[in-house]
Amino acid sequence: MATKWRCSHRSAVARLTLESPADVRLLDKGLSAGEALAAFNAMHDQAGGIASFLGKVRPGEDVKALELTHYEPLTLPGMEKLAGQALDRFALDGVLVWHRVGTMQPGEGIVLVAAAARHRRAAFDAVDYLMDHLKSAAWFWKRERRGDGANGAWHWIEPRGDDHAALARWQ
Amino acid sequence: MATKWRCSHRSAVARLTLESPADVRLLDKGLSAGEALAAFNAMHDQAGGIASFLGKVRPGEDVKALELTHYEPLTLPGMEKLAGQALDRFALDGVLVWHRVGTMQPGEGIVLVAAAARHRRAAFDAVDYLMDHLKSAAWFWKRERRGDGANGAWHWIEPRGDDHAALARWQ
Amino acid sequence: MAVRIVFLGPLREAAGTDSLEVSAPLDWDGLLAVAGSVVAEQLRSARVHVACAGEVLADKTALRAEDGDEVALLPPVSGG
Amino acid sequence: MAVRIVFLGPLREAAGTDSLEVSAPLDWDGLLAVAGSVVAEQLRSARVHVACAGEVLADKTALRAEDGDEVALLPPVSGG
């Protein structure tokens, strides 16, 4: 059975105030999914359900770090517009859209999306929609550092064909 | 930007040890989604992504409380079997399937499902599959308390037709 | 007095009790006879399942509960 | 010296610089002329977008950057 935290959730949650109905952030430091979801959950206590997706830096293939660059005048307005589109399209109580920028290590969170809704299907579809559009439409470029020390080098990650197929589902 | 907890996640996570690849629980007290997901996330640091769904007691329509009864000799084995089917069916690193029983207040979590996978689609589909099957195939009966004091009464929640439609998607 | 019949969910109210103890062995006709007319009628519906000794029966009319077995009457689970 | 050209993602390496300052006004032909041959070739691809003053241009060949505008060259975003 679940063990208790030493500190209560209520006091911890109170430290993180979210915007409603859309909390959209670019983070240049650690993305704490548990903390964010606890606060999002507490905020949307009228919702029937909350769906979420956390995308992380995958280890393997000799990857030492991931660097994510963006174009500031477009990125945050683009994410805010996308969050608004999700709110218009699905019957939601609220959404959370957080994205990391900068240099990350394998295992760290890159993106966290959550949706609160009366019904599960709307919450699920909204998270799916946000992830599809964030990955293909937001202005982020990624490169990976592979290899050790002087043998290490940065490699750009190419656009993926199936992201475009995923987007076509929503037309 | 994200505020820090007073206690670190690392120490908090260490208090909650999850089973791998499937952590299946029936809880008769509060279900803390933020805590569970922080621990699940920390455990699956090789995964590319983690999808989750938290179902909550919906307020409204005069609902004061929800009571969830189950048949112990079937419920937990049924949930464990279902978790195993999800692991067989999708390319997953792990799943978490937690369900509350007993009496709950509006806003409280009833069910938390999470899946960690290399790819988003597998994590998403596994959570969807687990939710569809949990709601229609697990041995839970729900009734709601509506109205105040002496006017209050318990009302059984009927099976829903569209749960069966949802299940047919997976045949 | 060696088979325990457990009424679950809304069947508990229909039966007016949580459980009954009856003598072993217990078959389908015996179950219908002791369950009471309201519960017996629901038992005949395909939507109500029967478990014996922790296993849901594929054919509930083939029930054969022995000494020490628990027989659970399982109405349809709730949606929503 | 009043239009700033910003190279993003992999175009930064192709250009060998993060940004360039050129005199206003700057149109599509002017951009191709100052961007260098490697970047100019990529710019002609439909996959590279151009933003001016914070707006992605629907038709990049209609670029008309004025004094103080920032022109961003946006290669395809990364999947994965």
Side-chain angles (χ1 to χ4, degrees):
Chain A
M1 294 292 141
T3 329
K4 292 286 168 200
W5 299 74
R6 198 185 329 246
C7 55
S8 81
H9 275 101
R10 197 165 296 277
S11 69
V13 164
R15 291 159 189 283
L16 177 59
T17 307
L18 301 179
E19 295 287 321
S20 177
D23 193 281
V24 178
R25 303 186 190 202
L26 280 168
L27 304 163
D28 53 12
K29 290 209 191 67
L31 184 166
S32 174
E35 175 181 21
L37 292 172
F40 189 71
N41 179 15
M43 161 174 258
H44 294 290
D45 60 355
Q46 305 287 305
I50 290 169
S52 76
F53 182 78
L54 170 67
K56 308 208 285 180
V57 182
R58 269 205 301 261
E61 291 175 47
D62 205 25
V63 175
K64 305 302 175 198
L66 179 79
E67 184 206 54
L68 210 145
T69 55
H70 69 124
Y71 182 53
E72 188 143 11
L74 295 181
T75 317
L76 196 58
M79 287 167 66
E80 283 166 349
K81 187 177 164 197
L82 180 58
Q85 286 167 345
L87 288 168
D88 287 345
R89 182 169 187 139
F90 306 100
L92 303 176
D93 291 9
V95 294
L96 178 149
V97 183
W98 287 12
H99 214 294
R100 272 292 309 271
V101 291
T103 304
M104 289 155 270
Q105 308 303 312
E108 279 193 82
I110 309 174
V111 57
L112 176 67
V113 166
R118 186 168 170 82
H119 296 291
R120 171 162 60 106
R121 187 55 37 210
F124 247 82
D125 287 350
V127 171
D128 214 7
Y129 174 90
L130 286 163
M131 284 300 303
D132 278 346
H133 286 78
L134 262 181
K135 292 181 86 164
S136 300
W139 298 100
F140 292 115
W141 298 274
K142 295 176 190 168
R143 54 181 192 168
E144 290 175 345
R145 182 143 195 106
R146 300 187 202 135
D148 288 309
N151 293 320
W154 287 101
H155 300 265
W156 288 101
I157 300 177
E158 289 297 309
R160 285 198 320 191
D162 62 356
D163 284 344
H164 299 113
L167 271 190
R169 294 193 298 145
W170 303 102
Q171 306 298 309
Chain B
M1 294 292 141
T3 329
K4 290 287 170 202
W5 298 72
R6 196 181 337 240
C7 54
S8 81
H9 276 101
R10 195 164 297 278
S11 69
V13 164
R15 291 161 187 283
L16 177 60
T17 307
L18 301 179
E19 295 287 321
S20 178
D23 193 280
V24 178
R25 303 186 190 203
L26 280 168
L27 303 163
D28 53 12
K29 289 209 189 69
L31 185 166
S32 174
E35 176 182 21
L37 292 173
F40 188 72
N41 177 16
M43 161 174 258
H44 294 291
D45 60 354
Q46 306 287 306
I50 290 169
S52 75
F53 182 78
L54 170 67
K56 308 208 285 179
V57 183
R58 270 205 300 261
E61 291 176 48
D62 206 25
V63 176
K64 306 300 175 198
L66 180 80
E67 184 205 54
L68 209 143
T69 54
H70 69 125
Y71 182 54
E72 186 141 13
L74 294 181
T75 317
L76 196 58
M79 287 168 65
E80 282 166 349
K81 187 177 165 200
L82 180 57
Q85 287 166 345
L87 288 168
D88 286 346
R89 182 169 187 137
F90 305 100
L92 302 177
D93 290 9
V95 293
L96 177 148
V97 183
W98 286 13
H99 214 294
R100 270 293 309 272
V101 291
T103 303
M104 290 155 269
Q105 307 304 313
E108 277 193 85
I110 308 174
V111 55
L112 176 68
V113 165
R118 186 168 169 83
H119 296 291
R120 172 162 59 105
R121 187 53 40 209
F124 248 82
D125 287 349
V127 171
D128 214 7
Y129 174 91
L130 286 162
M131 284 299 304
D132 278 345
H133 286 77
L134 262 181
K135 292 182 87 165
S136 301
W139 298 101
F140 293 115
W141 299 273
K142 295 176 190 167
R143 55 179 191 168
E144 289 175 347
R145 183 142 192 106
R146 301 187 203 137
D148 287 309
N151 293 319
W154 287 102
H155 300 265
W156 289 101
I157 300 177
E158 290 297 310
R160 285 199 320 190
D162 62 356
D163 283 343
H164 299 113
L167 271 189
R169 295 192 298 144
W170 303 104
Q171 306 298 311
Chain C
M1 300 299 277
V3 172
R4 185 181 159 88
I5 303 173
V6 181
F7 301 91
L8 278 306
L11 284 182
R12 200 169 279 183
E13 284 165 15
T17 182
D18 287 6
S19 66
L20 276 183
E21 300 246 326
V22 298
S23 44
L26 181 74
D27 64 6
W28 175 244
D29 288 332
L31 177 63
L32 291 177
V34 299
S37 60
V38 177
V39 172
E41 191 184 318
Q42 293 201 45
L43 265 175
R44 289 191 186 93
S45 150
R47 304 180 78 210
V48 173
H49 287 81
V50 173
C52 181
E55 295 289 333
V56 181
L57 302 177
D59 174 9
K60 63 192 172 189
T61 67
L63 173 68
R64 185 88 201 164
E66 302 295 342
D67 196 63
D69 285 347
E70 185 166 289
V71 172
L73 310 191
L74 310 159
V77 296
S78 303
Chain D
M1 299 301 278
V3 171
R4 186 181 158 86
I5 304 173
V6 181
F7 301 92
L8 278 307
L11 283 183
R12 201 169 277 182
E13 283 165 17
T17 182
D18 288 7
S19 66
L20 276 183
E21 300 246 326
V22 298
S23 42
L26 181 73
D27 65 7
W28 176 244
D29 288 332
L31 176 63
L32 292 176
V34 299
S37 60
V38 176
V39 172
E41 192 184 319
Q42 294 201 43
L43 265 175
R44 289 192 186 92
S45 149
R47 306 180 76 209
V48 174
H49 287 81
V50 174
C52 182
E55 295 290 334
V56 181
L57 302 177
D59 174 7
K60 63 193 172 189
T61 67
L63 173 69
R64 184 87 201 166
E66 303 295 341
D67 196 62
D69 285 348
E70 186 165 286
V71 172
L73 310 190
L74 309 160
V77 297
S78 302

